[in-house]
Amino acid sequence: MSHFDFSREIKIRFYIVLLYYQYEYRKGGNRMRAIFVGVVAILLVATMGASATVTKVKWDGGGIVEVRWKSDDDAKMTCYTAGNKIKGRLIAEDKNDNPYGYGVDTSDVKVSARVKNGGEIEYWFKRTDSYKPMYGKAGQEVYTYIISDNKAKFKWHSWSNYAHYRSCNYGWQNDNQIVAKGEHYILHRFYVNKHNGASIEIGADGKTELTIMNEDHWGKSFKFGKGCGCYTNAKVTIKGEGFFNQVATAKHHLETDTGIEIDGNAYYQVYVEFTKGFHFGNFALEGE
């Protein structure tokens, strides 16, 4: 939406649990369970101007914080943090710039969240508008979920405009955007449509350091672990036992940085189980 309205509602909601919050996660017969007790201190600052609308949120304490943000009809985001001790900050910006008069503003979200003594983090960003005559349909999504009985942290940068979506973490968090310790589960996925995209799933007891510095989209094509006009930085190191599962699909063509190329309804998977550790130095790929 190109028109800026000072009366426009900023769609942010907070849920603060004063009694308790309980979660369970089951994987392979195992169960992770925790009870969170406490109060979260929240600071919200929203700045409206003719050039941009900037919303800044900080939280610190124990319990649950959920932020739901909408950049008019151009993009939307949900960030959820729950745990015995949680801390984070979020900067969401609707630039109200309407480049080239295409009717789609630039949207930008930066988030940093962490939990201690058990908790979970969930993040979702969806590009909901585009200039279709030249750049095709919107609908690109990035999603991350982390749960741990010990510690976890997450730093991410999402950006979208009339032409494409990007996760450009360079300069915000170059390495280890997703880290978890203890018994934990991680899911991250990036899909530009129902056919084209990639995901990584990890379940482990130990410590995981996962780096996905960039993701990029143009038309129906995508880049995972690379893009944004920057160097490739896509790696994972896991200490302990567990599994690693990467899946990518592409309707026409898919190729990995390790030299694999697949044509026509491509399906690519790397699945590994381990007892003492695992390292993958470059899992970057692209498809269309």
Side-chain angles (χ1 to χ4, degrees):
M1 180 180 292
S2 60
H3 175 67
F4 179 74
D5 182 2
F6 281 93
S7 65
R8 182 173 62 87
E9 177 186 2
I10 300 175
K11 297 182 180 296
I12 301 177
R13 295 195 293 174
F14 303 100
Y15 299 85
I16 307 173
V17 173
L18 304 181
L19 297 177
Y20 73 90
Y21 171 74
Q22 177 175 299
Y23 76 80
E24 290 188 6
Y25 163 64
R26 297 175 183 269
K27 185 71 177 179
N30 297 321
R31 182 175 68 177
M32 296 172 60
R33 183 174 181 175
I35 295 177
F36 308 136
V37 182
V39 179
V40 184
I42 299 174
L43 173 64
L44 165 64
V45 178
T47 305
M48 295 183 179
S51 59
T53 302
V54 181
T55 303
K56 298 180 180 180
V57 187
K58 290 185 178 181
W59 59 94
D60 191 356
I64 303 172
V65 172
E66 182 176 29
V67 181
R68 296 189 179 188
W69 176 81
K70 190 174 183 181
S71 177
D72 296 316
D73 60 350
D74 303 319
K76 53 187 176 181
M77 179 278 311
T78 299
C79 181
Y80 173 89
T81 309
N84 287 305
K85 187 174 182 180
I86 64 175
K87 187 175 183 178
R89 63 188 176 112
L90 184 145
I91 305 168
E93 184 174 4
D94 177 355
K95 294 186 180 293
N96 298 303
D97 50 358
N98 188 25
Y100 305 109
Y102 287 162
V104 184
D105 293 335
T106 304
S107 303
D108 189 284
V109 174
K110 297 183 180 75
V111 62
S112 174
R114 62 178 61 204
V115 298
K116 291 183 179 181
N117 303 323
E120 58 185 333
I121 302 167
E122 187 174 35
Y123 175 80
W124 173 71
F125 184 102
K126 183 175 183 178
R127 177 174 175 254
T128 54
D129 199 7
S130 71
Y131 186 60
K132 294 180 183 178
M134 292 180 64
Y135 302 103
K137 295 181 180 179
Q140 294 70 42
E141 294 183 78
V142 62
Y143 175 83
T144 301
Y145 178 72
I146 313 163
I147 187 170
S148 173
D149 66 357
N150 192 331
K151 298 179 181 179
K153 61 181 180 179
F154 173 70
K155 288 193 74 172
W156 202 258
H157 179 201
S158 291
W159 180 95
S160 69
N161 72 353
Y162 60 89
H164 55 176
Y165 169 85
R166 285 180 166 182
S167 298
C168 298
N169 289 302
Y170 179 79
W172 174 246
Q173 181 73 23
N174 294 3
D175 294 283
N176 302 329
Q177 291 82 22
I178 301 171
V179 177
K181 186 178 181 181
E183 188 177 355
H184 60 272
Y185 173 80
I186 297 167
L187 173 63
H188 176 83
R189 64 174 182 254
F190 171 51
Y191 269 79
V192 300
N193 55 42
K194 65 180 181 180
H195 301 291
N196 299 345
S199 66
I200 285 180
E201 183 184 20
I202 296 167
D205 189 358
K207 183 178 181 180
T208 294
E209 294 178 336
L210 176 60
T211 295
I212 309 173
M213 192 175 74
N214 296 308
E215 294 169 334
D216 210 339
H217 146 261
W218 190 269
K220 295 180 180 180
S221 67
F222 71 95
K223 294 181 179 180
F224 184 78
K226 58 196 296 186
C228 296
C230 196
Y231 64 90
T232 299
N233 192 10
K235 59 190 177 184
V236 61
T237 298
I238 306 172
K239 297 179 180 179
E241 63 176 326
F243 73 90
F244 171 89
N245 185 33
Q246 181 183 16
V247 174
T249 59
K251 189 172 183 179
H252 300 293
H253 178 79
L254 188 146
E255 59 183 81
T256 73
D257 277 23
T258 56
I260 296 173
E261 295 192 34
I262 309 170
D263 291 317
N265 293 318
Y267 180 89
Y268 168 83
Q269 182 175 22
V270 176
Y271 179 82
V272 180
E273 293 183 359
F274 47 89
T275 58
K276 293 185 178 180
F278 172 73
H279 177 75
F280 196 166
N282 184 5
F283 53 72
L285 50 81
E286 57 188 283
E288 61 180 353

